[in-house]
Amino acid sequence: MSGLFIRNVCYSYEPPVWALKDVCLDIDAGCFFGIIGPNGSGKSTLLRCISGNLKPQRGGVFLGGQDVSALSVREVARRMALVQQHSSLEYDFTVGDIVLTGRNPYIKRWRGESAQDYAMMNDALKTAGIPHLKDRPITALSGGEWQMMILARALCQQADIMLLDEPVTGLDIRHQVSIMGTVKRLAKQRGISVVCVLHDLNLALSYCDGLALLSKGEVFASGKPEEVLTKHNIESVYGTGVTVLRHDGKMYILPEMDM
Ligand code: ADP
Ligand code: MG
């Protein structure tokens, strides 16, 4: 297990506009870390820089002392599983086929999947609570089932860092709680670090050990959730009024309605 060190990361899709500016964060091993911020603030870009998918023009992401952009795609995939937003998978695959692709970073090209890979696929389906979906075509899944399949694939990948981009956006509250709970439990049991982009500030408060609030590509605040999600920080970054409530020692954030 190793921590992630994000040092002065700058990324631009279209120079001279920076999507990320001088981002510095330390994410401890085993931590459940949330990234929040308005639409377009750079959350997905940051996650893709962490995963090595995008190479920062300045600064770097270090995993166990190694610069992620210097590792091969297979090496990175053994350490980190990236679950992207709107992943679109087409064609006539079954859920089992997709989950099995989590083994790709370990499979020797000329050998194909071993019995152990299949056993791990079945295990991952069980852990995600969807063994009954193994032979279901992926074109016939609900939003919640789809996310559980993607999560099972990440588990099958056996990475010790999971990068999740809005894993519960668009799901009903039961599925939100079920997915967040599964991830949190697994992270604890297996010592996995989770870096998770979330839109729901109350989920971020409940599940995350640490948070970074992004604004226009920069870290506006980072630290413990209660310290980051203050009325002042939220209103400054999102530009809308909120009420922060405390009940039974817990904090809740309510948007002020503009009617
Ligand atoms: P978030 O995930 O917080 O909504 P993104 O990281 O997707 O934000 O985007 C950050 C900024 O980078 C936005 O201004 C967005 O328009 C821009 N951006 C994202 N992807 C691309 C791309 N492929 N090409 C050009 N600009 C992009
Ligand atoms: Mg995004």
Side-chain angles (χ1 to χ4, degrees):
M1 266 212 292
S2 23
L4 272 170
F5 301 98
I6 300 161
R7 288 286 172 269
N8 308 95
V9 164
C10 299
Y11 188 84
S12 173
Y13 293 98
E14 289 163 351
V17 182
W18 292 100
L20 291 177
K21 279 173 269 179
D22 220 20
V23 171
C24 293
L25 291 170
D26 285 1
I27 302 176
D28 294 337
C31 177
F32 198 113
F33 194 86
I35 299 173
I36 51 173
N39 293 328
S41 57
K43 304 180 297 296
S44 300
T45 307
L46 177 57
L47 217 57
R48 294 173 67 203
C49 283
I50 297 175
S51 72
N53 231 320
L54 295 177
K55 190 172 159 39
Q57 283 95 347
R58 295 187 202 152
V61 175
F62 300 88
L63 176 60
Q66 280 177 301
D67 190 336
V68 169
S69 64
L71 300 174
S72 73
V73 174
R74 277 165 77 91
E75 274 173 316
V76 173
R78 289 180 201 170
R79 314 281 301 272
M80 294 195 265
L82 173 65
V83 173
Q84 303 227 45
Q85 214 177 346
H86 320 297
S87 30
S88 60
L89 300 165
E90 289 159 25
Y91 311 114
D92 205 10
F93 290 123
T94 65
V95 169
D97 295 332
I98 297 299
V99 173
L100 195 59
T101 62
R103 301 304 303 155
N104 285 354
Y106 302 92
I107 293 170
K108 297 227 165 62
R109 246 165 236 130
W110 62 91
R111 268 209 211 127
E113 297 88 357
S114 65
Q116 197 199 356
D117 293 318
Y118 280 95
M120 293 179 99
M121 178 257 282
N122 284 317
D123 250 20
L125 286 168
K126 233 186 265 166
T127 309
I130 51 164
H132 56 289
L133 296 181
K134 182 170 146 184
D135 299 317
R136 176 88 64 89
I138 60 168
T139 44
L141 296 177
S142 73
E145 290 167 343
W146 179 278
Q147 282 307 85
M148 280 304 191
M149 167 183 81
I150 299 295
L151 195 61
R153 179 174 65 177
L155 287 174
C156 212
Q157 203 174 317
Q158 280 200 313
D160 58 12
I161 299 175
M162 273 208 208
L163 308 172
L164 309 174
D165 200 350
E166 297 193 29
V168 297
T169 297
L171 301 184
D172 66 51
I173 49 172
R174 183 170 73 89
H175 284 96
Q176 289 190 7
V177 170
S178 150
I179 288 182
M180 292 300 288
T182 305
V183 174
K184 181 92 181 173
R185 206 168 41 249
L186 287 170
K188 212 164 178 190
Q189 283 167 0
R190 303 187 181 186
I192 295 172
S193 314
V194 177
V195 185
C196 184
V197 174
L198 289 169
H199 264 307
D200 187 317
L201 304 181
N202 290 302
L203 287 181
L205 270 172
S206 303
Y207 287 96
C208 297
D209 307 312
L211 277 186
L213 171 60
L214 298 191
S215 174
K216 299 179 185 145
E218 295 181 78
V219 177
F220 188 89
S222 66
K224 294 213 176 81
E226 304 80 40
E227 294 163 7
V228 172
L229 289 173
T230 60
K231 182 174 167 67
H232 170 264
N233 285 351
I234 300 168
E235 291 184 346
S236 311
V237 170
Y238 289 90
T240 190
V242 291
T243 304
V244 177
L245 296 176
R246 288 187 184 273
H247 179 69
D248 270 353
K250 276 190 71 183
M251 233 172 97
Y252 298 90
I253 294 155
L254 288 178
E256 282 168 9
M257 301 297 170
D258 184 12
M259 287 194 275

PDB file of all heavy atoms in Angstrom, residues 13-14 19 37-46 48 85 165-166, ligand 1:
ATOM      1  N   TYR A  13      -5.828  21.231 -21.804  1.00  0.00           N
ATOM      2  CA  TYR A  13      -6.282  20.553 -23.031  1.00  0.00           C
ATOM      3  C   TYR A  13      -6.001  21.463 -24.224  1.00  0.00           C
ATOM      4  O   TYR A  13      -5.667  21.002 -25.303  1.00  0.00           O
ATOM      5  CB  TYR A  13      -7.792  20.303 -22.990  1.00  0.00           C
ATOM      6  CG  TYR A  13      -8.251  19.306 -21.948  1.00  0.00           C
ATOM      7  CD1 TYR A  13      -8.742  19.732 -20.714  1.00  0.00           C
ATOM      8  CD2 TYR A  13      -8.214  17.941 -22.213  1.00  0.00           C
ATOM      9  CE1 TYR A  13      -9.188  18.825 -19.770  1.00  0.00           C
ATOM     10  CE2 TYR A  13      -8.655  17.028 -21.270  1.00  0.00           C
ATOM     11  CZ  TYR A  13      -9.148  17.470 -20.049  1.00  0.00           C
ATOM     12  OH  TYR A  13      -9.571  16.571 -19.122  1.00  0.00           O
ATOM     13  N   GLU A  14      -6.247  22.759 -23.984  1.00  0.00           N
ATOM     14  CA  GLU A  14      -6.099  23.742 -25.060  1.00  0.00           C
ATOM     15  C   GLU A  14      -5.323  24.941 -24.539  1.00  0.00           C
ATOM     16  O   GLU A  14      -5.910  25.877 -24.014  1.00  0.00           O
ATOM     17  CB  GLU A  14      -7.491  24.194 -25.540  1.00  0.00           C
ATOM     18  CG  GLU A  14      -8.230  23.125 -26.322  1.00  0.00           C
ATOM     19  CD  GLU A  14      -9.734  23.418 -26.439  1.00  0.00           C
ATOM     20  OE1 GLU A  14     -10.237  24.356 -25.783  1.00  0.00           O
ATOM     21  OE2 GLU A  14     -10.387  22.684 -27.190  1.00  0.00           O
ATOM     22  N   ALA A  19      -6.787  23.629 -17.320  1.00  0.00           N
ATOM     23  CA  ALA A  19      -7.910  22.915 -16.678  1.00  0.00           C
ATOM     24  C   ALA A  19      -7.543  22.601 -15.227  1.00  0.00           C
ATOM     25  O   ALA A  19      -8.417  22.489 -14.366  1.00  0.00           O
ATOM     26  CB  ALA A  19      -8.224  21.633 -17.436  1.00  0.00           C
ATOM     27  N   GLY A  37     -16.589  19.841  -6.310  1.00  0.00           N
ATOM     28  CA  GLY A  37     -16.417  21.119  -6.997  1.00  0.00           C
ATOM     29  C   GLY A  37     -17.474  21.229  -8.081  1.00  0.00           C
ATOM     30  O   GLY A  37     -18.035  20.220  -8.507  1.00  0.00           O
ATOM     31  N   PRO A  38     -17.732  22.442  -8.544  1.00  0.00           N
ATOM     32  CA  PRO A  38     -18.764  22.654  -9.567  1.00  0.00           C
ATOM     33  C   PRO A  38     -18.429  21.946 -10.883  1.00  0.00           C
ATOM     34  O   PRO A  38     -17.282  21.518 -11.086  1.00  0.00           O
ATOM     35  CB  PRO A  38     -18.759  24.171  -9.782  1.00  0.00           C
ATOM     36  CG  PRO A  38     -18.016  24.747  -8.640  1.00  0.00           C
ATOM     37  CD  PRO A  38     -17.091  23.697  -8.142  1.00  0.00           C
ATOM     38  N   ASN A  39     -19.401  21.871 -11.770  1.00  0.00           N
ATOM     39  CA  ASN A  39     -19.176  21.322 -13.108  1.00  0.00           C
ATOM     40  C   ASN A  39     -18.054  22.106 -13.779  1.00  0.00           C
ATOM     41  O   ASN A  39     -18.017  23.333 -13.685  1.00  0.00           O
ATOM     42  CB  ASN A  39     -20.437  21.457 -13.967  1.00  0.00           C
ATOM     43  CG  ASN A  39     -21.567  20.586 -13.463  1.00  0.00           C
ATOM     44  OD1 ASN A  39     -21.324  19.505 -12.924  1.00  0.00           O
ATOM     45  ND2 ASN A  39     -22.777  21.054 -13.606  1.00  0.00           N
ATOM     46  N   GLY A  40     -17.143  21.395 -14.410  1.00  0.00           N
ATOM     47  CA  GLY A  40     -16.073  22.062 -15.156  1.00  0.00           C
ATOM     48  C   GLY A  40     -14.921  22.537 -14.288  1.00  0.00           C
ATOM     49  O   GLY A  40     -14.019  23.215 -14.779  1.00  0.00           O
ATOM     50  N   SER A  41     -14.916  22.172 -12.992  1.00  0.00           N
ATOM     51  CA  SER A  41     -13.843  22.676 -12.115  1.00  0.00           C
ATOM     52  C   SER A  41     -12.559  21.846 -12.216  1.00  0.00           C
ATOM     53  O   SER A  41     -11.550  22.210 -11.617  1.00  0.00           O
ATOM     54  CB  SER A  41     -14.326  22.746 -10.658  1.00  0.00           C
ATOM     55  OG  SER A  41     -14.772  21.484 -10.226  1.00  0.00           O
ATOM     56  N   GLY A  42     -12.603  20.724 -12.938  1.00  0.00           N
ATOM     57  CA  GLY A  42     -11.378  19.954 -13.174  1.00  0.00           C
ATOM     58  C   GLY A  42     -11.319  18.613 -12.452  1.00  0.00           C
ATOM     59  O   GLY A  42     -10.277  17.949 -12.456  1.00  0.00           O
ATOM     60  N   LYS A  43     -12.435  18.182 -11.884  1.00  0.00           N
ATOM     61  CA  LYS A  43     -12.437  16.932 -11.100  1.00  0.00           C
ATOM     62  C   LYS A  43     -12.043  15.714 -11.944  1.00  0.00           C
ATOM     63  O   LYS A  43     -11.169  14.937 -11.554  1.00  0.00           O
ATOM     64  CB  LYS A  43     -13.829  16.703 -10.474  1.00  0.00           C
ATOM     65  CG  LYS A  43     -14.316  17.846  -9.613  1.00  0.00           C
ATOM     66  CD  LYS A  43     -15.694  17.584  -9.028  1.00  0.00           C
ATOM     67  CE  LYS A  43     -16.805  17.435 -10.044  1.00  0.00           C
ATOM     68  NZ  LYS A  43     -17.081  18.637 -10.857  1.00  0.00           N
ATOM     69  N   SER A  44     -12.696  15.553 -13.100  1.00  0.00           N
ATOM     70  CA  SER A  44     -12.381  14.394 -13.949  1.00  0.00           C
ATOM     71  C   SER A  44     -10.960  14.482 -14.492  1.00  0.00           C
ATOM     72  O   SER A  44     -10.256  13.469 -14.588  1.00  0.00           O
ATOM     73  CB  SER A  44     -13.366  14.284 -15.114  1.00  0.00           C
ATOM     74  OG  SER A  44     -14.673  14.123 -14.641  1.00  0.00           O
ATOM     75  N   THR A  45     -10.546  15.696 -14.828  1.00  0.00           N
ATOM     76  CA  THR A  45      -9.180  15.882 -15.338  1.00  0.00           C
ATOM     77  C   THR A  45      -8.170  15.464 -14.271  1.00  0.00           C
ATOM     78  O   THR A  45      -7.186  14.775 -14.574  1.00  0.00           O
ATOM     79  CB  THR A  45      -8.963  17.361 -15.739  1.00  0.00           C
ATOM     80  OG1 THR A  45     -10.006  17.747 -16.640  1.00  0.00           O
ATOM     81  CG2 THR A  45      -7.620  17.568 -16.393  1.00  0.00           C
ATOM     82  N   LEU A  46      -8.436  15.839 -13.024  1.00  0.00           N
ATOM     83  CA  LEU A  46      -7.521  15.470 -11.942  1.00  0.00           C
ATOM     84  C   LEU A  46      -7.469  13.950 -11.784  1.00  0.00           C
ATOM     85  O   LEU A  46      -6.382  13.361 -11.663  1.00  0.00           O
ATOM     86  CB  LEU A  46      -7.969  16.141 -10.630  1.00  0.00           C
ATOM     87  CG  LEU A  46      -7.164  15.791  -9.390  1.00  0.00           C
ATOM     88  CD1 LEU A  46      -5.678  16.114  -9.582  1.00  0.00           C
ATOM     89  CD2 LEU A  46      -7.694  16.532  -8.154  1.00  0.00           C
ATOM     90  N   ARG A  48      -8.021  11.729 -14.016  1.00  0.00           N
ATOM     91  CA  ARG A  48      -7.317  11.135 -15.157  1.00  0.00           C
ATOM     92  C   ARG A  48      -5.812  11.408 -15.101  1.00  0.00           C
ATOM     93  O   ARG A  48      -5.018  10.607 -15.598  1.00  0.00           O
ATOM     94  CB  ARG A  48      -7.938  11.621 -16.467  1.00  0.00           C
ATOM     95  CG  ARG A  48      -9.380  11.077 -16.601  1.00  0.00           C
ATOM     96  CD  ARG A  48     -10.100  11.663 -17.781  1.00  0.00           C
ATOM     97  NE  ARG A  48      -9.504  11.237 -19.021  1.00  0.00           N
ATOM     98  CZ  ARG A  48      -9.618  11.904 -20.162  1.00  0.00           C
ATOM     99  NH1 ARG A  48     -10.275  13.051 -20.197  1.00  0.00           N
ATOM    100  NH2 ARG A  48      -9.063  11.440 -21.255  1.00  0.00           N
ATOM    101  N   GLN A  85     -16.550   8.286 -15.674  1.00  0.00           N
ATOM    102  CA  GLN A  85     -17.913   8.749 -15.823  1.00  0.00           C
ATOM    103  C   GLN A  85     -18.406   8.323 -17.208  1.00  0.00           C
ATOM    104  O   GLN A  85     -17.601   8.197 -18.109  1.00  0.00           O
ATOM    105  CB  GLN A  85     -17.810  10.273 -15.796  1.00  0.00           C
ATOM    106  CG  GLN A  85     -18.909  11.036 -15.182  1.00  0.00           C
ATOM    107  CD  GLN A  85     -18.533  12.539 -15.220  1.00  0.00           C
ATOM    108  OE1 GLN A  85     -17.388  12.911 -15.456  1.00  0.00           O
ATOM    109  NE2 GLN A  85     -19.511  13.351 -14.993  1.00  0.00           N
ATOM    110  N   ASP A 165     -15.137   8.095 -10.723  1.00  0.00           N
ATOM    111  CA  ASP A 165     -15.661   9.386 -11.174  1.00  0.00           C
ATOM    112  C   ASP A 165     -17.187   9.371 -11.130  1.00  0.00           C
ATOM    113  O   ASP A 165     -17.830   8.731 -11.959  1.00  0.00           O
ATOM    114  CB  ASP A 165     -15.164   9.692 -12.588  1.00  0.00           C
ATOM    115  CG  ASP A 165     -15.254  11.177 -12.912  1.00  0.00           C
ATOM    116  OD1 ASP A 165     -15.880  11.918 -12.119  1.00  0.00           O
ATOM    117  OD2 ASP A 165     -14.697  11.594 -13.940  1.00  0.00           O
ATOM    118  N   GLU A 166     -17.739  10.059 -10.159  1.00  0.00           N
ATOM    119  CA  GLU A 166     -19.190  10.160  -9.965  1.00  0.00           C
ATOM    120  C   GLU A 166     -19.879   8.802 -10.024  1.00  0.00           C
ATOM    121  O   GLU A 166     -20.758   8.578 -10.861  1.00  0.00           O
ATOM    122  CB  GLU A 166     -19.798  11.105 -11.020  1.00  0.00           C
ATOM    123  CG  GLU A 166     -19.270  12.520 -10.903  1.00  0.00           C
ATOM    124  CD  GLU A 166     -20.094  13.521 -11.719  1.00  0.00           C
ATOM    125  OE1 GLU A 166     -21.292  13.274 -11.903  1.00  0.00           O
ATOM    126  OE2 GLU A 166     -19.527  14.522 -12.151  1.00  0.00           O
TER     127      GLU A 166
HETATM  128  P1  ADP B   1     -15.414  18.332 -14.037  1.00  0.00           P
HETATM  129  O1  ADP B   1     -15.149  16.877 -14.054  1.00  0.00           O
HETATM  130  O2  ADP B   1     -15.109  19.007 -12.741  1.00  0.00           O
HETATM  131  O3  ADP B   1     -16.813  18.670 -14.489  1.00  0.00           O
HETATM  132  P2  ADP B   1     -13.503  18.419 -16.214  1.00  0.00           P
HETATM  133  O4  ADP B   1     -12.250  17.941 -15.613  1.00  0.00           O
HETATM  134  O5  ADP B   1     -14.278  17.462 -17.066  1.00  0.00           O
HETATM  135  O6  ADP B   1     -14.444  19.049 -15.089  1.00  0.00           O
HETATM  136  O7  ADP B   1     -13.203  19.691 -17.103  1.00  0.00           O
HETATM  137  C1  ADP B   1     -12.368  20.767 -16.666  1.00  0.00           C
HETATM  138  C2  ADP B   1     -12.253  21.793 -17.800  1.00  0.00           C
HETATM  139  O8  ADP B   1     -11.556  21.221 -18.898  1.00  0.00           O
HETATM  140  C3  ADP B   1     -13.593  22.293 -18.344  1.00  0.00           C
HETATM  141  O9  ADP B   1     -13.478  23.644 -18.648  1.00  0.00           O
HETATM  142  C4  ADP B   1     -13.794  21.457 -19.586  1.00  0.00           C
HETATM  143  O10 ADP B   1     -14.569  22.148 -20.535  1.00  0.00           O
HETATM  144  C5  ADP B   1     -12.362  21.252 -20.073  1.00  0.00           C
HETATM  145  N1  ADP B   1     -12.211  19.961 -20.785  1.00  0.00           N
HETATM  146  C6  ADP B   1     -12.507  18.742 -20.310  1.00  0.00           C
HETATM  147  N2  ADP B   1     -12.230  17.777 -21.209  1.00  0.00           N
HETATM  148  C7  ADP B   1     -11.759  18.424 -22.295  1.00  0.00           C
HETATM  149  C8  ADP B   1     -11.304  17.994 -23.582  1.00  0.00           C
HETATM  150  N3  ADP B   1     -11.252  16.694 -23.902  1.00  0.00           N
HETATM  151  N4  ADP B   1     -10.881  18.945 -24.450  1.00  0.00           N
HETATM  152  C9  ADP B   1     -10.912  20.263 -24.133  1.00  0.00           C
HETATM  153  N5  ADP B   1     -11.338  20.727 -22.948  1.00  0.00           N
HETATM  154  C10 ADP B   1     -11.752  19.842 -22.029  1.00  0.00           C
END
